[in-house]
């Protein structure tokens, strides 16, 4: 009776549920090398992008290209090295034979070690990409985000980590990880920048123009190509029946053939580049590329002083345009907006006065002339000074004033021409400017009104 009572009390104190067994991936994912690899990916990409942020911040296409370049040239070598280092872990610990006696199969053991590193690297890349997109969002100038390329890049980084894991398990040398990273950097850089054949499209890194966008299936084929090769390598190493590696290899070959066959057709010009957004309230009208339509109010404001002085003047170009190629006969090219980081930084004009001066110089139309007559040069200088003088004009004048006798005489002639134009009445000056712009493409003195 006493024995039965004691047994019953023991059964009452026992837990009705067995302890939960945690998945082996959890331990690999929350401890050890994998989180540090993800942090290294984030830090590498964030620092790289921050150093040159003025060259991409504000333009969605520029952000896509710079994140893509950093991910491929720095992220892929880092992923290869991290995967290789993780793959060599059991050899460094001397536990290879012990691992071989485990109940889990070779493929399961491989994935338990490789997947946490790959996922953490992708997470680190995702954090860096999200920060870059947020940095562009608050000063975006008009185009739209491009998400296909970042998603493909994330898959490529995961493939690089898995490939590095295979190499690490096969190569015992401790320097294999840094050498694999260096090899990846060199191959991607050479193929992406130097190679000009169709084979370069097999590389996940292709240096493209910011005015181009990939066809919708290009990221998918890139993932199929790199993912197929990686899956074939993993299965050839870890699967019981290594012949199954032929299936992803066939898929990779099909995707690679399509990429090579299509060649430069994988990219096409962004339709927004060919479309203009115009302010028709000014003369000339001001038109910018639809990719940067958010800049139009700033440009209109920067040129407002010049367009106000040109009100009522005839023989002017119809518009400032921002299309690829040379402007039409009744158009004049708008000062350059791209590349971002020069005249435009983080969605703002860096120097509105200099931009207005460049627009006034474009209006004169004598940029293709090798040489102009002195009287024409004096008239051009007077018009430039009246419409939108260069912020450096005072420095130029001071340099001429300290120059030779000929330079001092030329400066006096130019100052006199400026004063004569400024002293004219409104109607007289409007008539003179109309006659001047009628000959704006002339390099000689014939027809150019005197001052």
């Amino acid at each position: 009776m006493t024995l039965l009572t004691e047994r019953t009390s023991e059964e009452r104190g026992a837990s009705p549920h067995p302890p939960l067994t945690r998945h082996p991936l959890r331990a690999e994912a929350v401890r050890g090398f994998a989180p540090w690899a993800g942090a290294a990916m984030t830090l590498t990409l964030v620092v790289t992008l921050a150093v040159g942020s003025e060259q991409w911040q504000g333009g969605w296409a520029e952000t896509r290209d710079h994140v893509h370049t950093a991910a491929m040239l720095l992220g892929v070598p880092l992923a290869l090295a991290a995967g290789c280092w993780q793959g060599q872990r059991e050899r460094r610990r001397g536990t290879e034979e012990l691992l071989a006696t485990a109940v889990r199969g070779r493929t399961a053991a491989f994935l338990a070690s490789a997947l946490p590193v790959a996922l953490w690297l992708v997470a680190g890349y995702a954090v860096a990409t999200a920060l870059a997109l947020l940095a562009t969002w608050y000063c975006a100038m008009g185009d739209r985000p491009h998400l296909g390329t970042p998603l493909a890049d994330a898959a490529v980084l995961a493939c690089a980590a898995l490939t590095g894991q295979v190499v690490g398990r096969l190569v015992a040398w401790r320097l294999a990880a840094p050498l694999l990273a260096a090899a990846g950097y060199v191959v991607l850089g050479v193929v992406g920048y130097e190679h000009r054949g169709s084979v370069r499209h097999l590389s996940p890194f292709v240096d493209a123009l910011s005015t181009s966008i990939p066809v919708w299936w290009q990221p998918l084929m890139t993932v199929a190509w790199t993912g197929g090769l990686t899956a074939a390598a993993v299965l050839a190493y870890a699967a019981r029946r290594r012949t199954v590696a032929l299936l992803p290899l066939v898929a990779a070959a099909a995707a690679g053939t399509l990429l090579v066959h299509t060649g430069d057709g994988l990219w096409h010009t962004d339709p927004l580049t060919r479309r203009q957004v115009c302010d028709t309230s000014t003369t000339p009208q001001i038109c910018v590329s639809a990719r940067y339509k958010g800049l139009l109010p700033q440009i209109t404001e920067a040129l407002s002083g010049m367009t106000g002085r040109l009100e009522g003047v005839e023989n002017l170009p119809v518009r400032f345009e921002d299309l690829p190629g040379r402007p039409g006969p009744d158009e004049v090219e708008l000062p350059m907006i791209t590349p971002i980081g020069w005249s435009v930084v983080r969605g703002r004009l860096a120097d509105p006065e200099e931009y207005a001066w460049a627009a006034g110089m474009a209006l004169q139309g004598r940029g293709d002339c090798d040489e102009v007559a002195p009287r024409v040069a004096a008239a051009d200088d007077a018009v430039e000074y009246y419409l939108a003088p260069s912020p450096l004009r005072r420095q130029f004048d001071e340099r001429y004033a300290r120059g030779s006798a000929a330079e001092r005489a030329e400066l006096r002639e130019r100052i006199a021409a400026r004063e004569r134009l400024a002293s004219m009445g409104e109607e007289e000056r409007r008539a003179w400017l109309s006659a001047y712009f009628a000959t704006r493409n002339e390099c000689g003195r014939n027809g150019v009104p005197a001052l």
Side-chain angles (χ1 to χ4, degrees), residues 112-372:
S113 174
L115 283 181
V117 175
L119 294 177
W120 269 104
L121 289 169
V122 171
Y125 165 76
V127 170
T129 302
L131 291 175
L133 293 176
L134 287 175
T136 289
W137 171 74
Y138 86 90
C139 57
M141 292 181 287
D143 58 344
R144 59 185 181 277
H146 304 271
L147 300 181
T149 300
L151 292 176
D153 290 346
V156 170
L157 290 173
C159 292
L162 295 175
T163 302
Q165 178 92 355
V166 173
V167 174
R169 288 177 175 249
L170 294 175
V171 179
W173 196 23
R174 286 182 175 269
L175 293 179
L179 289 179
L180 183 62
Y185 177 83
V186 171
V187 170
L188 287 172
V190 170
V191 174
Y193 282 116
E194 298 296 334
H195 198 67
R196 290 294 177 264
S198 296
V199 178
R200 71 189 180 99
H201 296 289
L202 293 177
S203 170
F205 170 60
V206 177
D207 186 32
L209 298 175
S210 61
T211 56
S212 301
I213 56 176
V215 294
W216 67 270
W217 50 265
Q218 188 262 359
L220 298 177
M221 290 302 101
T222 299
V223 172
W225 161 247
T226 56
L229 292 179
T230 300
V234 171
L235 292 174
Y237 168 76
R240 289 184 178 179
R241 297 181 179 179
R242 297 182 178 180
T243 55
V244 298
L246 293 176
L247 295 177
L249 195 60
V250 170
T257 301
L258 182 59
L259 291 172
V260 172
H261 178 72
T262 307
D264 292 335
L266 293 169
W267 296 80
H268 61 88
T269 303
D270 190 345
L272 289 177
T273 304
R274 301 191 185 98
R275 188 159 61 87
Q276 298 275 281
V277 178
C278 300
D279 186 337
T280 59
S281 65
T282 64
T283 303
Q285 300 174 11
I286 302 173
C287 301
V288 301
S289 170
R291 291 181 62 219
Y292 307 113
K293 62 182 179 181
L295 276 177
L296 184 57
Q298 294 184 54
I299 294 176
T300 301
E301 176 65 23
L303 304 187
S304 60
M306 181 182 65
T307 54
R309 294 183 180 93
L310 291 173
E311 186 175 356
V313 176
E314 300 177 357
N315 301 318
L316 291 170
V318 175
R319 67 183 62 85
F320 286 101
E321 59 86 25
D322 191 28
L323 290 171
R326 296 182 65 87
D330 292 331
E331 299 174 335
V332 63
E333 192 168 7
L334 192 73
M336 290 180 61
I337 295 174
T338 56
I340 291 178
W342 292 90
S343 60
V344 177
V345 177
R346 297 182 179 90
R348 306 292 302 177
L349 286 177
D351 192 337
E353 292 184 4
E354 184 177 359
Y355 194 85
W357 167 78
M361 294 296 291
L363 274 181
Q364 293 178 0
R366 279 183 257 276
D368 294 333
C369 295
D370 295 331
E371 187 176 357
V372 296

